[in-house]
Amino acid sequence: MPTAKQIRSDFIDFFRDRGHEFIPSSPIVPVGDDTLLFANAGMNQFKDIFLGLSAPDCRRAVNSQKCLRVSGKHNDLEEVGKDTYHHTFFEMLGNWSFDDYFKAEAIEWAWELVTKVWGIDQDRLWARVFEGDETDGLDKDEEAARLWTKVTSISADRVLAFGKKDNFWAMGDTGPCGPCSEIDIDLGPDMCSMQHVPGHKCTLTGNCGRFMELWNLVFIQYNRDEDGKLTPLKAKYIDTGLGMERIVRVLQNKKSNYDTDLFMPIIDSLSDLTSRKYTSRLGNKSDNAFRVVADHMRAMVFAITDGATPSNEGRGYVIRRILRRAARFGRELGMHEPFMYKLVPVVVECLGDVFGEIAERAEYVSTVIQSEEQSFGRTLDRGIEIFNDAAEHAEKSAQKTISGEDAFRLYDTYGFPLDLTQLMATERSLEVDTTGFEKLMNEQRERARAAQKSATFTVADAELPLTEDLHKYHTDQCESTIISWVKSQGYSNQGRIEAAGNIGIVLDRTCFYAEAGGQVGDCGLIESEHGRFIVEDTTKIANCVIHQGKFAEGTFTVGEKVTATVSKDRNAIKKNHTATHLLQWALQQTLGKSVAQQGSLVGPQYLRFDFTWPKALTVEQIKKVEALVREKIAEDEPIVCRVMPRDKAEKLGAMALFGEKYGSEVRVVAIGTKNKSHLDEAFSKEFCGGTHVERIGSIGGFKITKEESISAGVRRITALTGEKLTEFLEKRSEIIDELCETLKVPAEDLIDRVEKLIKENKKLTKQLKSASKQTGVDVLAEAKKLLEKCEKLGETSVVVGRLSATSVEQARSAVDMVKKKAKSAAIVFGFDDDEKPALLAAVTDDLVKKGLSAADIVKAIAPIIDGGGGGRPQMAQAGGQNPEKINDALNKAAELIKSKLTNA
Ligand code: ATP
Ligand code: MG
């Protein structure tokens, strides 16, 4: 039986032998393409070629593409686990012709590979072609139909024609498109899920489970314009997609994709973790949970590896939904604690040798998954209870619908994505009121928006002019003309600027840097004969630079000439920005290439850099990173910034930020090459529009002041350079000088000395504790003696005397002990409370009933020691000034008690 690995190689080798170049899969998170959340087909990375925007590097290509179909046009989430061949994550094997061969070869080769190389029985196979479409004025794809019978051995009655929905492929509403032709396989009547539905007939595109599409051959030969009109393309393309998991399942002779070596190791591990058995039955609840978790694991590992992290919007929310869905299915397998992160290694075991990136980032991925599982786990069980209540309620109602309020509450308080609630509802044959849910969501968004509204400017982009701002790269000062200004809700390009408070000035040209790419906006001054304007921040809306701030003096008029001067902070910002690039390079040198930038902040005070890494850096790692950066600073190499086409920059290996959108022209900042035309020699190359120093040496120094975690799998480093570093070090040095002075030791001995002090302190504290325990024991012994020797009036002990106690607590514990032992007692103790004389009196309840009161006793005797006090009849205390009179007070107390008790 061939392994999945073998099958993948068969495919690639087959097309390599036919002149195709192997192009590695593009990341599942598309770089520089915001129109798509995740790669969903092999053609994604070649899109610009079909659109005529870029030229292909080769005429024939082959690849195996990582795909995710959980959002947008292609969403197979609902199918997962219920059928045997739709996954969220899957591999698409494909071959391409860029204006080279066309339908004949595409059809012939596909058939040859499937039937000859892999030996699939041709009696199980069917072919589909496009039947034509009247509205589009297209005839049947006779060419393809003819070719099937001409270049393959398939019989004519097995080539069927289908309509636009199934057999015409388009990238979007406009652009390249064309008919397609598939190879489908008959899995046998047993696989039909509708066998028992009267009148059901299995068809190739009926989705009943009997026929499975294996391979889609797309013939891109038209372009659709804005009016929907089709014109033939000059260049024609072949774009094919063969489902890897599906072909593996056929060649391994399994009844389900999940039974292949692509999934079974994951399912086996899950079986070990849950101590449950997987029995491979469709429609079985527990088996279904196995399939969903295994499928979702692969999706999470690949998506997180390629840069998506769970969050509340966009790509991140898709990942969060997958994870939460899987966690909920985990509950059905009895898993109430985080468990999925433990499955990362087995996914890596299955696919890590083909997609090395998942092996490289496995630790990071499992940290992210574990932390998400933990946070959702806290509310999931409670959420399920809430859902069950809501479902019971819905079952009793006529509409059989979970209310929008309940769905929203589950979302908002318990973190249930809407599709999870829907899925759970479907399982109980219920619906969810999504309109109601959306309404509540919108209300919440509105509230958030209202809360967020600050002093920022609201102007329509279209109104704003373009500012020429390239001067920011070479100068700190420039002569400009005022062209307009904006205040909180308006834009004006005429007259005098009449505004108090915060406004934004727009110039025809500027040297101010507007906030972007983590670098803060510049501050500075704009002045003319008539006014001085303090710029507090600079931002950009579309291509218009807005200098935000206030007038310090006078005002300007539109059209007036002004001088714009950037504050000196700019120098510090440049140092920090270049240092950020050095830091990223040094981190990759130290920790490996899996370190990816997640964000940064470059300002005049410090720099901050966020990156993916699963755990805290060790002291050695931090030292190494610092040393590498400092070494480079000492070498004082130049920095070269150049604008070039994006693909050229990519080829240079310049690092881009994940998820950042770049135009066709990008600016590359390269460090470490003297030769401007040999940027490839530079050790650091990044896509970057920021301002930088000219030579690294001027950074002056570098130190990491903090390393911390900001979210699962993401660390943050804060560092200093230049003057701020000098200030920091000076301050530290002063602190040390002061410490030396106080402790009277030279700086070298400080650490020893402080350690010693801490040790001594610990020892003394311990001694003190045991000493006070000691006295506590003594006090109890004294009290016991007083009790033994005390005078008795009938059953009542009159215990009066001095204790060596040093606190009220000690005296109280003595009283408690005496009370317990004596049953009936009147007690008065004299002692020192923190060096002051004190008295404590107590009376058992039986005596209180007879009219004896501790408070009365204390009140009567406290004046003797020049003090006062009080309390309750059961217990009272007093403090005084005269320690010599304690015995007098005690004698008086004894007298009082005796007279009270004998007269009672
Ligand atoms: P289907 O009709 O089975 O959903 P499709 O028409 O959506 O397939 P294409 O978009 O043409 O498929 O993708 C090309 C190939 O990728 C398919 O022929 C199939 O083998 C495979 N494929 C598509 N979707 C999935 C999926 N969700 N899981 C696994 N393989 C898939
Ligand atoms: Mg599909």
Side-chain angles (χ1 to χ4, degrees):
M1 193 173 72
T3 60
K5 203 175 165 185
Q6 182 60 50
I7 294 165
R8 190 186 294 103
S9 306
D10 288 347
F11 183 90
I12 293 166
D13 292 344
F14 180 87
F15 285 102
R16 267 202 177 127
D17 290 346
R18 283 154 186 80
H20 293 62
E21 187 178 317
F22 177 76
I23 309 280
S25 172
S26 64
I28 206 157
V29 174
V31 179
D33 183 357
D34 275 357
T35 62
L36 195 64
L37 282 185
F38 297 100
N40 60 19
M43 54 73 56
N44 295 157
Q45 64 168 318
F46 304 118
K47 196 169 109 179
D48 282 355
I49 300 178
F50 303 140
L51 287 169
L53 296 174
S54 71
D57 290 331
C58 54
R59 292 262 155 236
R60 299 176 179 195
V62 54
N63 100 339
S64 117
Q65 174 67 40
K66 306 180 271 188
C67 296
L68 195 62
R69 291 195 171 179
V70 279
S71 51
K73 188 173 147 211
H74 289 293
N75 189 342
D76 292 334
L77 189 63
E78 300 295 316
E79 262 43 78
V80 171
K82 286 193 207 147
D83 76 9
T84 58
Y85 55 91
H86 277 98
H87 308 293
T88 56
F89 169 83
F90 65 98
E91 263 181 83
M92 199 188 279
L93 301 167
N95 58 294
W96 280 271
S97 154
F98 304 119
D99 201 15
D100 191 50
Y101 63 84
F102 205 45
K103 295 184 193 178
E105 291 87 340
I107 291 174
E108 186 185 347
W109 289 336
W111 190 259
E112 182 185 345
L113 178 58
V114 167
T115 58
K116 301 232 172 72
V117 179
W118 282 329
I120 299 178
D121 178 2
Q122 74 173 49
D123 291 339
R124 297 177 68 197
L125 300 177
W126 293 72
R128 271 190 277 143
V129 296
F130 178 52
E131 70 178 3
D133 187 85
E134 226 170 275
T135 44
D136 277 337
L138 292 176
D139 293 333
K140 180 179 171 187
D141 190 355
E142 292 291 358
E143 186 188 3
R146 215 176 324 111
L147 283 166
W148 274 110
T149 47
K150 188 175 155 214
V151 302
T152 79
S153 52
I154 199 166
S155 61
D157 58 349
R158 283 184 169 255
V159 181
L160 306 182
F162 286 82
K164 192 165 156 184
K165 182 172 122 325
D166 294 305
N167 276 75
F168 193 86
W169 179 91
M171 200 165 69
D173 295 336
T174 61
C177 52
C180 53
S181 185
E182 292 85 353
I183 299 180
D184 294 342
I185 187 161
D186 184 350
L187 300 171
D190 282 355
M191 294 305 290
C192 172
S193 60
M194 294 164 72
Q195 292 171 49
H196 310 296
V197 177
H200 168 77
K201 262 192 81 174
C202 302
T203 61
L204 293 186
T205 55
N207 285 324
C208 68
R210 170 159 176 186
F211 293 100
M212 173 173 79
E213 176 180 323
L214 273 181
W215 200 342
N216 189 356
L217 317 176
V218 182
F219 313 129
I220 304 180
Q221 62 188 95
Y222 299 108
N223 183 52
R224 192 186 292 275
D225 67 16
E226 300 286 338
D227 304 327
K229 212 173 112 268
L230 295 174
T231 39
L233 284 174
K234 272 194 226 83
K236 294 190 173 55
Y237 305 100
I238 289 293
D239 155 28
T240 87
L242 165 66
M244 168 75 182
E245 295 72 11
R246 296 185 185 182
I247 189 68
V248 170
R249 165 249 188 101
V250 172
L251 297 178
Q252 292 184 354
N253 240 328
K254 303 290 185 196
K255 282 210 154 70
S256 157
N257 292 12
Y258 294 94
D259 293 343
T260 66
D261 61 345
L262 287 168
F263 286 91
M264 273 322 282
I266 307 174
I267 289 175
D268 286 340
S269 283
L270 186 54
S271 175
D272 288 345
L273 275 180
T274 56
S275 310
R276 302 203 180 187
K277 264 206 150 58
Y278 177 66
T279 56
S280 194
R281 282 172 299 168
L282 278 187
N284 173 284
K285 221 172 162 193
S286 154
D287 285 349
N288 189 46
F290 267 100
R291 287 187 289 267
V292 172
V293 173
D295 171 274
H296 290 10
M297 269 318 296
R298 298 185 350 140
M300 283 187 275
V301 168
F302 277 89
I304 297 172
T305 292
D306 278 355
T309 36
S311 74
N312 268 340
E313 53 193 19
R315 292 183 176 121
Y317 194 54
V318 174
I319 302 309
R320 178 162 280 172
R321 271 165 41 208
I322 296 182
L323 185 135
R324 294 189 170 184
R325 214 168 168 268
R328 187 289 188 149
F329 277 99
R331 291 295 195 268
E332 285 179 0
L333 298 172
M335 302 308 279
H336 289 265
E337 294 299 321
F339 68 100
M340 288 182 267
Y341 73 97
K342 295 184 189 157
L343 295 169
V344 174
V346 65
V347 176
V348 170
E349 201 182 286
C350 292
L351 289 164
D353 55 344
V354 183
F355 301 100
E357 63 276 18
I358 62 168
E360 234 169 65
R361 300 187 79 179
E363 205 178 333
Y364 162 70
V365 171
S366 70
T367 315
V368 172
I369 294 180
Q370 187 185 12
S371 124
E372 267 290 298
E373 287 190 86
Q374 254 157 5
S375 70
F376 186 50
R378 274 180 230 123
T379 57
L380 176 54
D381 289 319
R382 179 76 191 117
I384 291 175
E385 278 172 36
I386 301 280
F387 173 85
N388 288 338
D389 287 348
E392 261 164 48
H393 191 78
E395 272 159 0
K396 284 187 204 125
S397 78
Q399 291 82 19
K400 308 276 179 240
T401 299
I402 304 234
S403 72
E405 283 86 28
D406 283 331
F408 183 74
R409 183 150 78 110
L410 281 166
Y411 164 82
D412 199 37
T413 314
Y414 300 97
F416 278 42
L418 179 62
D419 54 12
L420 178 54
T421 306
Q422 282 175 310
L423 171 96
M424 292 166 68
T426 316
E427 288 171 354
R428 292 177 70 152
S429 305
L430 294 169
E431 305 241 333
V432 178
D433 172 13
T434 51
T435 321
F437 174 86
E438 281 308 329
K439 194 169 146 255
L440 291 166
M441 271 304 277
N442 283 335
E443 280 170 21
Q444 193 194 46
R445 281 192 204 111
E446 271 315 308
R447 281 195 299 276
R449 215 170 290 148
Q452 234 180 29
K453 223 172 217 165
S454 60
T456 47
F457 306 105
T458 44
V459 226
D461 300 2
E463 283 186 309
L464 294 169
L466 179 145
T467 317
E468 192 213 314
D469 71 341
L470 285 176
H471 309 284
K472 65 190 178 214
Y473 293 130
H474 344 280
T475 177
D476 292 348
Q477 192 169 66
C478 72
E479 304 300 321
S480 321
T481 306
I482 307 267
I483 51 174
S484 56
W485 56 287
V486 282
K487 59 181 178 190
S488 49
Q489 62 299 80
Y491 169 82
S492 170
N493 55 8
Q494 274 158 27
R496 264 162 68 87
I497 301 176
E498 309 280 3
N502 256 315
I503 61 160
I505 299 272
V506 179
L507 304 172
D508 62 338
R509 42 187 253 154
T510 186
C511 51
F512 277 64
Y513 181 88
E515 184 206 334
Q519 180 174 334
V520 299
D522 277 333
C523 302
L525 194 67
I526 299 176
E527 21 179 17
S528 77
E529 275 170 40
H530 306 106
R532 269 161 57 83
F533 183 85
I534 313 281
V535 181
E536 289 160 356
D537 195 5
T538 308
T539 52
K540 215 172 194 179
I541 302 181
N543 283 315
C544 176
V545 175
I546 298 178
H547 305 80
Q548 299 183 17
K550 296 189 198 58
F551 278 105
E553 259 171 54
T555 184
F556 301 142
T557 312
V558 171
E560 190 169 340
K561 297 261 178 279
V562 291
T563 306
T565 315
V566 174
S567 106
K568 292 232 160 22
D569 283 349
R570 165 67 81 73
N571 283 332
I573 295 174
K574 281 182 181 172
K575 288 176 188 175
N576 281 340
H577 204 152
T578 310
T580 307
H581 287 211
L582 291 175
L583 172 60
Q584 161 143 270
W585 164 80
L587 282 168
Q588 293 195 339
Q589 293 288 305
T590 310
L591 307 175
K593 285 280 180 226
S594 71
V595 167
Q597 176 171 354
Q598 295 291 95
S600 69
L601 179 75
V602 179
Q605 311 287 338
Y606 57 85
L607 66 97
R608 223 170 61 189
F609 185 74
D610 303 339
F611 57 101
T612 53
W613 189 249
K615 49 180 187 257
L617 267 62
T618 62
V619 177
E620 291 73 39
Q621 285 167 333
I622 291 180
K623 285 221 162 106
K624 183 163 176 217
V625 168
E626 286 181 329
L628 283 167
V629 174
R630 287 177 192 145
E631 210 174 278
K632 287 294 171 195
I633 293 174
E635 284 167 13
D636 191 27
E637 293 205 70
I639 284 143
V640 179
C641 306
R642 268 188 52 197
V643 175
M644 61 177 78
R646 190 174 83 208
D647 52 345
K648 198 167 162 208
E650 274 162 7
K651 268 198 205 113
L652 269 179
M655 283 188 286
L657 205 61
F658 255 140
E660 184 84 8
K661 196 179 173 180
Y662 298 97
S664 54
E665 292 269 292
V666 295
R667 185 168 177 263
V668 172
V669 173
I671 315 179
T673 174
K674 292 183 181 70
N675 189 338
K676 277 203 176 217
S677 48
H678 278 119
L679 293 198
D680 52 324
E681 287 169 5
F683 65 85
S684 157
K685 294 169 283 265
E686 289 191 37
F687 284 35
C688 177
T691 59
H692 289 269
V693 294
E694 276 161 35
R695 303 189 70 92
I696 335 178
S698 62
I699 294 172
F702 176 84
K703 182 171 174 54
I704 293 175
T705 53
K706 203 171 185 188
E707 192 276 334
E708 67 199 304
S709 156
I710 54 165
S711 66
V714 182
R715 311 292 308 175
R716 167 171 291 174
I717 279 183
T718 308
L720 299 174
T721 68
E723 259 171 54
K724 289 293 162 199
L725 174 57
T726 313
E727 274 171 30
F728 172 86
L729 294 176
E730 235 163 46
K731 183 106 211 205
R732 283 280 156 108
S733 162
E734 273 166 25
I735 295 172
I736 291 182
D737 288 347
E738 242 180 88
L739 272 177
C740 293
E741 183 67 32
T742 316
L743 296 175
K744 304 269 179 289
V745 289
E748 306 78 74
D749 299 346
L750 263 184
I751 296 177
D752 274 355
R753 185 62 204 266
V754 171
E755 271 173 1
K756 216 163 144 195
L757 282 174
I758 293 172
K759 231 189 231 162
E760 265 174 33
N761 190 296
K762 264 197 196 141
K763 203 165 123 193
L764 287 174
T765 315
K766 216 166 159 190
Q767 279 177 1
L768 206 63
K769 257 198 200 142
S770 73
S772 69
K773 242 191 220 151
Q774 202 70 42
T775 40
V777 172
D778 285 348
V779 169
L780 291 187
E782 279 171 15
K784 203 168 151 206
K785 250 189 209 138
L786 286 174
L787 173 64
E788 277 159 13
K789 291 194 304 194
C790 79
E791 202 172 322
K792 288 217 157 186
L793 297 172
E795 288 296 298
T796 303
S797 306
V798 182
V799 188
V800 179
R802 280 193 78 135
L803 295 178
S804 55
T806 52
S807 68
V808 182
E809 286 72 46
Q810 284 179 3
R812 269 178 200 252
S813 52
V815 161
D816 290 343
M817 188 270 292
V818 171
K819 266 185 164 177
K820 232 191 226 154
K821 284 205 166 90
K823 305 268 176 349
S824 168
I827 311 155
V828 185
F829 289 139
F831 57 98
D832 286 338
D833 177 16
D834 202 12
E835 294 176 7
K836 288 249 167 73
L839 296 161
L840 183 67
V843 168
T844 46
D845 285 337
D846 58 316
L847 303 183
V848 172
K849 273 185 202 139
K850 285 184 185 166
L852 193 62
S853 158
D856 289 348
I857 300 170
V858 160
K859 269 186 205 136
I861 63 175
I864 301 174
I865 55 167
D866 296 342
R872 296 172 297 118
Q874 285 83 357
M875 176 105 71
Q877 72 185 66
Q881 302 296 331
N882 195 343
E884 277 146 40
K885 291 285 180 65
I886 281 203
N887 284 342
D888 292 354
L890 290 174
N891 289 338
K892 175 82 195 234
E895 259 172 47
L896 260 173
I897 293 167
K898 276 184 269 178
S899 78
K900 250 275 146 53
L901 288 180
T902 40
N903 294 336

